[in-house]
Amino acid sequence: MTDMRAEGRAAMSDGNRRRIDDELGTAARGALATRGVTKRYGSIVAVDGVDLDLPAGSFFSLLGPSGCGKTTLLRIIAGLEQPDGGTIHVDGLDITRQPPERRPFNMVFQRYALFPHLSVFDNVVFGLTTAGSERPPKAEARRRVGDMLTLVGLDGYERRWPSQLSGGQQQRVAVARALIRQPELYLFDDSFSALDVATDARLRHALRAVTAAATVIIVAQRVATIIEADQIVVLEDGGIVGLGTHDELLQTCPPYAEIVESQLAAEAS
Amino acid sequence: MSRRRGIPWLAFTCVALILFLYAPLAVATIYAFNSGTRLVWPPEGVSLRWFGHVFGDELFRNAFATSMTAAVATAVVSSSIGTVAAIVFTRRSTKLARLVEALGRLPVMLPPLFVGIGFVALMKATSLAPSMLTIVAGHTIVVIPFVILVVTARLRTYEVEVEQAARDLGATPLQVIGRITLPIIAPAVFGAFLVAFAFSFDELLITNFTSGTQSTVPIYVLGRLRRLVDPGANAVAVILLLIPWIAFGVGQVVLKRFTGSGLSDALLQQGR
């Protein structure tokens, strides 16, 4: 863990390093609690009365087969979908009806959702220029964009257009764009799937330092991406069928054990 | 064997189609530069005399100014209203929005004659005198559905997650429209603007009912051709042909410079 943080810190400017260190020194924020969160599309129940408790600064993961409601749950937490029932609290405050721009979260979308008409620099700096942002001076914003691009391994890509990047590079820009705002809670929706295994591991290591003061929820298909999570939630048909660490779930949650076994078998073959 | 027999027919069909489409344009363009007064083949020489003749006519200059004003006003009004309507229709999925969208597209199916007669009735009922306002209103009614169609197509072909990502990054709904939606759909809006401009500049039937004593370029040409087979009309036809193309070219350059994609990109995206 110390090595990982050192790697992430080394990629940052002094200002950013101080800010992260300051945050690490104070109590982490971003404790999330959901109660009975439900979402229906006609007769289909996408999310079925989900109760979650995420302590501030925890690393949480959602796992399950396609269509089990992972992305819908993440979008409800982000405020991009309104639940049909239930509540969402952050640090004790009810944010169920708050619009996404007023929530202290940032999401990395599964299909990147980069702004096609803006350069890589403008995509990443966007979150520092909106109404709900701190709007730092230009020089500071430029330095922070540089830090984030260094962190995701895209130094020198500032002037490229999204259409000039590979899928993996676009995904890394999307990650940098979410990281730059340093929110209380990060939502990663299968955000490492387009990366090769080595880049995936390297990026996750580097992210640990930047996201250490925040709560992180990751939706992932690869077990390797979530194996270190403090808690893993296994979803099926919109409901929770397993909750615990990797080792606990291997013992107590047959659907999770099945997913792990099938991935290990696929890797072995 | 059968493929070999098919090739001459295919070639013949293609050539015939091209001739059918472009022969009238080619003939009008050639005669526009004819130095003689008679429309004989081959043309008597090359000259710009008919362009000078047309621009020297005060009636033409007035008609040209009226047409330009009406076309620009129609394009501005219809592309503004049509774009706002398209954003509402694509981002609000209420029953009312769907109903208004269907009603907004209806004028495409209305015969222009009906629209013209309807306008005359409306002008009588409201004691509204024919003016630039009635010309623009008549053109706008017919052209707005085209704007909605073009802009809606663009709005539905890019991922709405891009707008959601902007909200997630702290942008208000208005900032999303200004910084994300409008720049992305700008080529389509500009394309719709040009369609509206070209339609209005060329429109004859509705204008006949709504213009009163004012003359537009199509009305001017029709008036001249009623009296005689006039080589000057060919010059006017070439001007009518060139104006939308110049606008298209300027639009292409401007959009490439400011948005990174041109009108041709927008048209391709609409076809996806």
Side-chain angles (χ1 to χ4, degrees), chain B residues 156-253:
Chain B
R156 289 198 167 126
T157 50
Y158 82 83
E159 285 178 23
V160 76
E161 271 190 354
V162 170
E163 293 174 2
Q164 293 176 339
R167 293 285 301 275
D168 185 67
L169 291 164
T172 60
L174 265 181
Q175 282 184 318
V176 173
I177 289 176
R179 295 181 58 184
I180 305 295
T181 311
L182 286 179
I184 291 176
I185 65 171
V189 174
F190 200 78
F193 179 94
L194 291 183
V195 168
F197 177 89
F199 170 88
S200 174
F201 199 83
D202 210 23
E203 215 289 326
L204 176 63
L205 204 52
I206 298 171
T207 319
N208 247 327
F209 290 95
T210 56
S211 63
T213 54
Q214 292 188 82
S215 179
T216 61
V217 173
I219 292 174
Y220 169 86
V221 173
L222 197 68
R224 279 188 80 133
L225 287 176
R226 271 188 193 135
R227 282 179 270 130
L228 67 163
V229 180
D230 180 3
N234 294 313
V236 178
V238 169
I239 294 165
L240 283 174
L241 185 71
L242 280 178
I243 283 171
W245 281 102
I246 290 169
F248 186 91
V250 171
Q252 181 83 356
V253 171

Side-chain angles (χ1 to χ4, degrees), chain A:
Chain A
M1 189 63 135
T2 313
D3 290 345
M4 282 186 261
R5 289 203 170 151
E7 194 179 320
R9 289 178 89 257
M12 293 175 201
S13 64
D14 289 344
N16 257 2
R17 206 174 298 137
R18 268 197 302 278
R19 193 168 38 253
I20 299 286
D21 288 346
D22 286 348
E23 282 181 17
L24 286 171
T26 60
R29 291 187 300 163
L32 181 85
T34 70
R35 289 291 172 268
V37 169
T38 302
K39 181 73 185 177
R40 292 185 197 86
Y41 295 105
S43 61
I44 297 164
V45 182
V47 178
D48 192 6
V50 169
D51 294 338
L52 291 175
D53 280 295
L54 283 71
S58 62
F59 171 22
F60 227 73
S61 180
L62 299 175
L63 193 77
S66 297
C68 69
K70 304 181 295 276
T71 296
T72 307
L73 180 57
L74 216 59
R75 289 172 58 81
I76 290 170
I77 293 171
L80 302 174
E81 303 264 358
Q82 274 302 309
D84 295 315
T87 58
I88 302 167
H89 286 78
V90 172
D91 297 324
L93 289 174
D94 187 349
I95 57 149
T96 315
R97 300 290 156 194
Q98 254 187 24
E101 66 269 22
R102 295 182 57 194
R103 298 187 183 204
F105 308 159
N106 278 123
M107 180 161 168
V108 180
F109 290 76
Q110 195 171 12
R111 284 177 294 185
Y112 330 134
L114 296 184
F115 309 128
H117 61 297
L118 299 180
S119 67
V120 167
F121 178 90
D122 289 330
N123 262 278
V124 178
V125 84
F126 187 88
L128 298 180
T129 61
T130 51
S133 74
E134 54 191 291
R135 300 191 190 201
K138 275 186 179 174
E140 167 70 3
R142 254 199 305 276
R143 192 166 52 247
R144 283 169 71 175
V145 172
D147 282 348
M148 290 304 131
L149 289 178
T150 304
L151 187 77
V152 299
L154 289 176
D155 249 341
Y157 281 69
E158 286 85 348
R159 299 185 69 152
R160 302 261 184 111
W161 295 98
S163 58
Q164 296 172 316
L165 305 177
S166 69
Q169 288 169 334
Q170 289 187 32
Q171 208 158 40
R172 282 186 273 163
V173 174
V175 170
R177 188 176 66 176
L179 290 175
I180 201 164
R181 282 167 60 88
Q182 296 168 3
E184 291 174 21
L185 198 148
Y186 292 93
L187 305 164
F188 293 94
D189 187 6
D190 205 7
S191 309
F192 306 97
S193 60
L195 307 177
D196 59 82
V197 176
T199 311
D200 174 13
R202 206 167 40 245
L203 184 56
R204 275 187 294 115
H205 270 217
L207 285 180
R208 273 301 182 99
V210 186
T211 60
T215 307
V216 176
I217 304 179
I218 289 187
V219 167
Q221 302 292 338
R222 282 187 201 144
V223 174
T225 307
I226 55 154
I227 207 160
E228 294 169 8
D230 299 323
Q231 294 273 286
I232 299 167
V233 177
V234 185
L235 288 173
E236 238 179 39
D237 298 326
I240 297 175
V241 294
L243 174 66
T245 63
H246 171 71
D247 292 333
E248 288 166 356
L249 287 171
L250 280 178
Q251 303 297 321
T252 59
C253 182
Y256 182 77
E258 237 174 72
I259 293 168
V260 174
E261 269 172 36
S262 66
Q263 287 200 11
L264 289 175
E267 279 170 26
S269 65

